[in-house]
């Protein structure tokens, strides 16, 4: 199984939203074979707690306007790691130190990466 078209469309919107708020080092992983509840993880780094919150808020706003509601949001209070669950897409917005510490890319290394740069270029 591979990520659904809907998940990939949602990923594109989320990646552009994160990029518009200064999100760095965007990595998308196809987790559809490993997880029954999600198709794609998007991992994003913010450079401060305020930036992490702004990135997460923008992703929620953009996806909400597109008709995709947030099922769950975790980590708002501290702004170091915010998890946004949109069903097929789960977004992890990290402060740089937490991203290095938790190393989700290492934990999910057996999942294929999805190219993010073309998604960002498509919005230009």
């Amino acid at each position: 199984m591979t990520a659904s078209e809907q998940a990939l469309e949602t990923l594109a919107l989320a990646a552009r939203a994160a990029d518009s708020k200064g999100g760095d080092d965007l990595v998308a992983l196809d987790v559809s074979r490993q997880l029954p509840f999600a198709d794609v993880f998007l991992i994003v780094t913010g450079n401060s707690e305020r930036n992490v919150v702004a990135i997460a808020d923008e992703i929620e706003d953009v996806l909400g306007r597109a008709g995709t509601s947030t099922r769950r949001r975790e980590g708002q209070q501290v702004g170091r790691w915010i998890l946004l669950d949109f069903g097929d897409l789960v977004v992890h917005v990290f402060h740089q130190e937490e991203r290095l510490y938790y190393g989700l890319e290492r934990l999910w290394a057996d999942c294929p990466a999805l190219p993010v740069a073309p998604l960002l270029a498509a919005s230009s």
Side-chain angles (χ1 to χ4, degrees), residues 2 6 11 17 20 36 41 45 49 56 64 67 71 77 100-101 103 111 114 116:
T2 60
Q6 178 62 39
L11 167 63
S20 76
F41 278 1
T45 300
E49 288 88 352
R71 293 183 178 183
Q77 295 79 10
L100 291 173
Y101 179 79
C111 297
L114 299 167
V116 176

Side-chain angles (χ1 to χ4, degrees), residues 15-98:
R16 289 181 199 126
D19 185 61
S20 76
K21 290 297 180 181
D24 289 325
D25 196 17
L26 280 70
V27 172
L29 302 173
D30 183 339
V31 295
S32 61
R33 291 184 187 204
Q34 287 76 6
L35 296 175
F37 59 84
D39 283 357
V40 177
F41 278 1
L42 175 62
I43 305 167
V44 182
T45 300
N47 59 28
S48 68
E49 288 88 352
R50 177 177 247 157
N51 186 226
V52 168
V53 172
I55 292 166
D57 288 347
E58 182 69 6
I59 292 170
E60 270 192 306
D61 289 347
V62 167
L63 293 184
R65 287 193 304 270
T68 302
S69 60
T70 309
R71 293 183 178 183
R72 186 174 186 126
R73 180 176 177 140
E74 296 288 335
Q76 174 64 31
Q77 295 79 10
V78 181
R80 304 289 292 182
W81 177 4
I82 298 176
L83 181 141
L84 302 170
D85 180 357
F86 296 100
D88 288 345
L89 173 70
V90 176
V91 180
H92 301 269
V93 185
F94 283 102
H95 191 280
Q96 185 175 23
E97 293 153 0
E98 275 70 14

